[in-house]
């Protein structure tokens, strides 16, 4: 493709994206396709001759779009907000267009230095002190794995330089809760802790936050057994119910026991742009590492996960590689981000954050986050004020966990009823929410926070919920009557 052909196709593509975003509300939220149907619409062999760009766009529209669950849709209330602000999309396009290679400072000095600056901007915007230095990882999962690898090496006096964990006699233990994201367990397993050494600390039955008393007891017990308490992962906004572990108390325990504390704020980190929310992660300054995803609620397009540490030298000691072909004369003066994580080659991710912060601006982002908090609070009040409805967990941010609990249904019937009404909404394509288990029973998470979701959308969701609930009750009634006959 020549530069001129690119220019022409690029204009067409941008127009196509702008139209797509403008018309998104007309589409079903959940992809209305069966497994394998997208694949079956694609040729089984690669094209031998070039495809015309117009034809390419047509295929994008006809084959790809139907296979997308529209997480940018204002009626998307599932999982978590995965906003992709158009300002950040432009930054992502710029990053692709520049075609940079981030393997060393020398391979793209701007890549490293824009990243240093935007990570520091984000540090300031979230009220973190100057002790924190950051980088951008692809995801919070990678950031957590990286943190746990460093924790493991610190606790084992750098066992990687000897026989690794395999040669160690003591067991290295990791602490989190059942509420923590599945990536924490996965990272623990990948970092070599072993399932037997993962501890799930009891949580408060109401707030679902880690109990510091239980944490202390587990650590003492492990020490008595000759184990080495190595790392704690505290959730600042857990996935299911947005629980906030008490970081200040946990940090005290971590410091007393020389245990690494990683704060996983993947979803809720965005809230820390709001000074009024920062009490929720009080004590974070005493952690060892923090990660959170601007690619969620804040809206910098995937993938963009911030990872902060206060002792980069430890991270570098564990992650550093220094092959001769990557050396340059300025190495002692510059940051080599390949030593801050697992990959060697890195994308110019900082551009999307830079564009997002510069073109939209922090104040507009803060206003939107406050709108979502307000919508969640109003929605929760509406649910609570309605007979037979429960808000099951305190609403800390923008996720509301709800259940319709009509009298006379046993647990099994209630589970069936919950899944029936939520699935019928999801299947209809009118809105999307995530059913999830809480204390062994189904409930529904309503996660508010798509960029285009207004209060009117939340109100229409509530109307939709009430309709589908009534419909399921009627269906059940019909079934019962038929059974009696
Ligand atoms: C609390 C929490 N931690 C970690 C993750 C994993 O994030 P990522 O997809 O960036 O790995 C999520 C994703 O939903 C999350 O909610």
């Amino acid at each position: 493709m020549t530069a001129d052909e690119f220019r022409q196709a690029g204009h067409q593509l941008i127009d196509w994206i702008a139209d797509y975003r403008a018309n998104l509300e007309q589409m079903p939220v959940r992809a209305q396709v069966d497994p394998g149907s997208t694949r079956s619409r694609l040729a089984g062999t690669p094209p031998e001759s070039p495809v015309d760009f117009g034809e390419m766009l047509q295929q994008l529209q006809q084959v790809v779009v139907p296979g997308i669950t529209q997480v940018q849709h204002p009626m998307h209330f599932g999982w978590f907000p995965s906003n992709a602000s158009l300002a950040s999309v432009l930054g992502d396009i710029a990053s692709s267009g520049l075609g940079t290679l981030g393997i060393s400072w020398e391979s793209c000095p701007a890549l490293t230095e824009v990243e240093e600056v935007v990570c520091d901007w984000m540090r300031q915007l979230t009220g973190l002190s100057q002790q924190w230095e950051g980088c951008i990882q692809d995801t919070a999962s990678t950031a957590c794995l990286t943190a746990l690898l460093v924790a493991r090496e610190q606790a084992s006096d750098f066992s990687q330089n000897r026989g690794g964990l395999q040669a160690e006699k003591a067991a290295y233990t990791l602490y989190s809760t059942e509420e923590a994201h599945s990536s924490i367990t996965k990272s623990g397993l990948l970092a070599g802790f072993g399932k037997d050494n993962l501890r799930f600390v009891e949580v408060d039955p109401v707030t679902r936050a880690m109990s510091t008393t239980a944490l202390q007891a587990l650590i003492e017990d492990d020490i008595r057994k000759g184990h080495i308490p190595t790392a704690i992962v505290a959730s600042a906004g857990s996935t299911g119910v947005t629980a906030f572990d008490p970081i200040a108390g946990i940090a005290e325990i971590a410091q007393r026991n020389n245990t690494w504390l990683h704060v996983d704020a993947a979803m809720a980190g965005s809230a820390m742009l709001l000074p009024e929310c920062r009490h929720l992660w009080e004590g974070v300054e005493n952690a060892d590492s923090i990660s959170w995803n601007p690619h969620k609620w804040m809206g910098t397009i995937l993938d963009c996960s911030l990872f902060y540490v206060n002792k980069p030298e430890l991270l570098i000691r564990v992650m550093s590689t220094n092959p001769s072909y990557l050396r340059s004369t300025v190495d002692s003066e510059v940051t080599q981000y390949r030593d801050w994580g697992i990959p060697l080659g890195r994308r110019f991710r900082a551009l999307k954050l830079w564009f997002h912060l510069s073109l939209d601006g922090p104040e507009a982002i803060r206003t939107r986050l406050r709108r979502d908090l307000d919508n969640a609070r109003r929605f929760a009040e509406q649910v609570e004020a309605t007979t037979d409805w429960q808000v099951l967990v305190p609403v800390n941010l923008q996720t509301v966990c709800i259940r319709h609990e009509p009298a006379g249904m046993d647990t099994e019937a209630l589970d069936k009823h919950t899944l029936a009404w939520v699935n019928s909404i999801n299947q209809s394509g009118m809105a999307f929410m995530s059913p999830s288990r809480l204390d062994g029973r189904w409930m529904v998470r309503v996660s508010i926070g798509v960029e285009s979701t207004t209060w009117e959308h939340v109100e229409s969701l509530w109307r939709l919920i009430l309709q589908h609930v009534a419909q399921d009750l009627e269906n059940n009634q019909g079934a019962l009557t038929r059974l009696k006959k």
Side-chain angles (χ1 to χ4, degrees):
M1 181 173 267
T2 64
D4 275 339
E5 285 166 346
F6 174 77
R7 188 189 315 281
Q8 212 190 345
H11 283 301
Q12 271 179 274
L13 180 64
I14 297 287
D15 279 345
W16 184 88
I17 295 173
D19 287 344
Y20 172 75
R21 288 294 189 100
N23 296 321
L24 225 138
E25 199 163 347
Q26 317 325 320
M27 296 180 211
V29 187
R30 197 180 84 166
Q32 306 283 301
V33 291
D34 294 324
S37 85
T38 305
R39 203 180 327 127
S40 71
R41 300 183 68 191
L42 290 163
T45 52
E48 280 300 334
S49 46
V51 175
D52 172 69
F53 191 68
E55 161 75 17
M56 214 54 230
L57 279 185
Q58 234 176 39
Q59 290 200 29
L60 202 55
Q61 184 71 52
Q62 290 166 4
V63 179
V64 174
V65 170
I68 297 176
T69 291
Q70 304 291 353
V71 295
Q72 310 305 324
H73 194 296
M75 295 298 283
H76 170 67
F77 298 94
W79 307 304
F80 46 81
S82 183
N83 289 317
S85 67
L86 288 171
S88 69
V89 170
L90 287 178
D92 213 24
I93 292 173
S95 162
S96 299
L98 289 171
T100 52
L101 172 66
I103 53 175
S104 64
W105 178 88
E106 190 182 35
S107 75
C108 187
L111 184 153
T112 303
E113 296 187 13
V114 177
E115 187 162 329
E116 286 178 312
V117 169
V118 293
C119 287
D120 198 60
W121 284 0
M122 291 310 302
R123 175 192 69 73
Q124 295 171 45
L125 284 169
T126 49
L128 293 173
S129 75
Q130 285 183 349
Q131 69 160 326
W132 298 100
E133 290 182 56
C135 64
I136 305 176
Q137 304 264 352
D138 55 358
T139 59
S141 303
T142 308
C144 181
L145 173 59
T146 307
L148 293 186
L149 292 171
V150 181
R152 179 193 82 186
E153 289 310 303
Q154 176 181 252
S156 64
D157 193 21
F158 295 85
S159 64
Q160 67 179 11
N161 298 328
R162 305 185 302 275
L165 277 197
Q166 293 191 62
E168 297 294 301
K169 290 205 181 72
Y172 292 81
T173 49
L174 167 64
Y175 307 81
S176 66
T177 72
E178 297 276 7
E179 297 292 331
H181 190 262
S182 55
S183 61
I184 311 309
T185 293
K186 183 171 174 175
S187 297
L189 296 177
L190 293 175
F193 283 83
K195 211 168 203 157
D196 292 349
N197 304 311
L198 304 188
R199 308 277 182 265
F200 296 98
V201 184
E202 206 178 286
V203 297
D204 178 282
V206 177
T207 64
R208 315 274 157 173
M210 184 186 284
S211 151
T212 48
T213 316
L215 172 67
Q216 177 67 38
L218 273 179
I219 288 183
E220 280 170 12
D221 187 48
D222 278 328
I223 292 173
R224 258 195 309 277
K225 290 175 177 153
H227 303 333
I228 299 179
T230 301
I232 305 165
V233 179
S235 300
S238 64
T239 308
V241 301
T242 329
F244 282 81
D245 291 338
I247 295 174
I250 295 171
E252 268 180 47
I253 297 173
Q255 280 174 347
R256 257 202 316 277
N257 293 285
N258 207 16
T259 303
W260 188 280
L261 173 57
H262 176 67
V263 174
D264 173 25
M267 161 59 210
S270 302
M272 303 311 158
L273 270 84
L274 307 178
E276 66 270 28
C277 288
R278 289 185 197 146
H279 66 96
L280 290 167
W281 75 355
E282 197 197 324
V284 72
E285 285 293 330
N286 294 325
D288 296 284
S289 53
I290 309 166
S291 66
W292 73 273
N293 293 348
H295 71 223
K296 285 190 160 73
W297 190 17
M298 183 178 133
T300 310
I301 187 172
L302 244 168
D303 49 357
C304 185
S305 184
L306 289 167
F307 180 52
Y308 289 96
V309 288
N310 50 23
K311 293 180 219 82
E313 61 283 1
L314 268 182
L315 184 61
I316 293 165
R317 190 166 162 198
V318 176
M319 299 281 156
S320 174
T321 52
N322 198 16
S324 54
Y325 69 96
L326 291 177
R327 291 183 202 158
S328 79
T329 51
V330 293
D331 284 354
S332 60
E333 300 164 45
V334 298
T335 301
Q336 301 289 10
Y337 274 133
R338 68 171 182 271
D339 297 341
W340 288 58
I342 297 164
L344 167 62
R346 307 174 84 248
R347 296 188 67 229
F348 203 156
R349 291 196 189 95
L351 281 183
K352 54 190 167 195
L353 203 43
W354 186 39
F355 270 52
H356 189 196
L357 290 174
S358 306
L359 298 175
D360 282 355
E363 195 44 42
I365 298 171
R366 282 193 285 259
T367 302
R368 178 169 56 76
L369 298 176
R370 288 194 175 108
R371 175 204 64 181
D372 298 339
L373 291 175
D374 202 39
N375 284 346
R377 188 186 46 74
R378 286 174 77 183
F379 176 70
E381 280 168 10
Q382 207 162 35
V383 174
E384 264 168 347
T386 310
T387 315
D388 293 341
W389 280 90
Q390 304 289 338
V391 173
L392 301 164
V393 196
V395 179
N396 284 323
L397 292 179
Q398 43 54 261
T399 302
V400 188
C401 299
I402 61 172
R403 190 158 49 217
H404 179 236
E405 298 184 348
M409 275 195 189
D410 63 15
T411 313
E412 202 184 325
L414 204 53
D415 269 353
K416 262 187 157 166
H417 173 58
T418 305
L419 289 177
W421 68 256
V422 69
N423 286 336
S424 76
I425 293 176
N426 289 349
Q427 277 158 19
S428 76
M430 302 281 286
F432 187 84
M433 291 161 284
S434 305
S436 179
R437 304 273 281 185
L438 183 69
D439 298 333
R441 289 168 60 193
W442 287 102
M443 55 104 179
V444 177
R445 291 171 70 256
V446 179
S447 171
I448 297 171
V450 173
E451 205 178 352
S452 54
T453 302
T454 62
W455 173 243
E456 285 65 42
H457 293 105
V458 180
E459 274 190 312
S460 67
L461 176 76
W462 183 228
R463 280 196 299 275
L464 200 64
I465 291 174
L466 293 177
Q467 259 170 31
H468 282 253
V469 161
Q471 185 62 54
D472 184 60
L473 289 180
E474 207 178 296
N475 293 348
N476 278 337
Q477 210 54 51
L480 278 179
T481 321
R482 277 195 301 281
L483 219 69
K484 277 183 196 150
K485 281 181 187 164

